[in-house]
Amino acid sequence: MTTKRTKWGALAAVGVLVIAFGWLIYGGLDSNVVYFLTPKELLAKGADGYDKPIRLGGQVKPGSVIWDEKALDLRFAVTDGTGEVVVHSKGAPPNMFKDGQGVVVEGRYGKDGVFKSTSLMVKHSNEYKAPTKGERPSEMYKSLMKSTGT
């Protein structure tokens, strides 16, 4: 009798642990997952895309950058060629930020149609060129700036 009772008790304890663990994983994932979307995918979500943490990737639409240096206020449009989303960001942009540059912004898309960015990252080439013997870093920066077109 006690062994049967012990078995059912252990089984119930394991069941409670599995349910609790599953609830923690599901609840934790749901509130902490940040999806990566293109402007077309974000716009296709409609009202489901509002006020959720999202990483938006695309290119800065040429001619859309409005930068207020004194207020550190940046506005631009991100496009993937088919969709376009207006982004508002506070703070200084990275040095490589420019028209046509690939970017990933993290933030939330508002009902006003503006993506409020909390983080702005610039995509760049992952090519690494080791310095030659005697080459100074300042000379390398100049060649890098020439190759990116700035």
Side-chain angles (χ1 to χ4, degrees):
M1 182 82 172
T2 37
T3 56
K4 227 178 190 182
R5 190 181 227 181
T6 306
K7 274 185 179 177
W8 283 109
L11 196 60
V14 169
V16 168
L17 286 174
V18 168
I19 291 171
F21 190 67
W23 181 77
L24 286 174
I25 288 175
Y26 179 74
L29 285 178
D30 190 43
S31 62
N32 291 321
V33 170
V34 178
Y35 293 102
F36 179 86
L37 301 173
T38 64
K40 180 183 176 184
E41 293 169 337
L42 177 60
L43 294 173
K45 284 186 165 275
D48 290 339
Y50 295 143
D51 204 31
K52 293 183 178 168
I54 294 172
R55 282 189 179 164
L56 180 69
Q59 294 193 328
V60 177
K61 181 180 177 186
S64 69
V65 177
I66 301 170
W67 168 236
D68 183 350
E69 189 174 332
K70 291 181 181 175
L72 296 176
D73 188 78
L74 178 66
R75 293 178 187 270
F76 60 97
V78 173
T79 181
D80 59 358
T82 55
E84 181 178 317
V85 174
V86 175
V87 176
H88 179 225
S89 179
K90 285 283 193 181
N95 287 338
M96 294 177 64
F97 180 83
K98 61 182 180 181
D99 282 349
Q101 181 73 42
V103 292
V104 175
V105 289
E106 189 171 321
R108 294 175 185 264
Y109 186 54
K111 291 179 181 173
D112 58 354
V114 176
F115 189 90
K116 307 244 183 323
S117 168
T118 57
S119 175
L120 170 63
M121 296 169 273
V122 175
K123 292 182 179 177
H124 58 82
S125 171
N126 58 358
E127 293 178 21
Y128 173 74
K129 179 185 166 195
T132 57
K133 194 171 187 174
E135 191 174 22
R136 297 173 55 193
S138 60
E139 294 168 2
M140 293 180 66
Y141 298 143
K142 289 177 185 174
S143 67
L144 177 66
M145 298 306 275
K146 285 179 185 174
S147 66
T148 59
T150 56

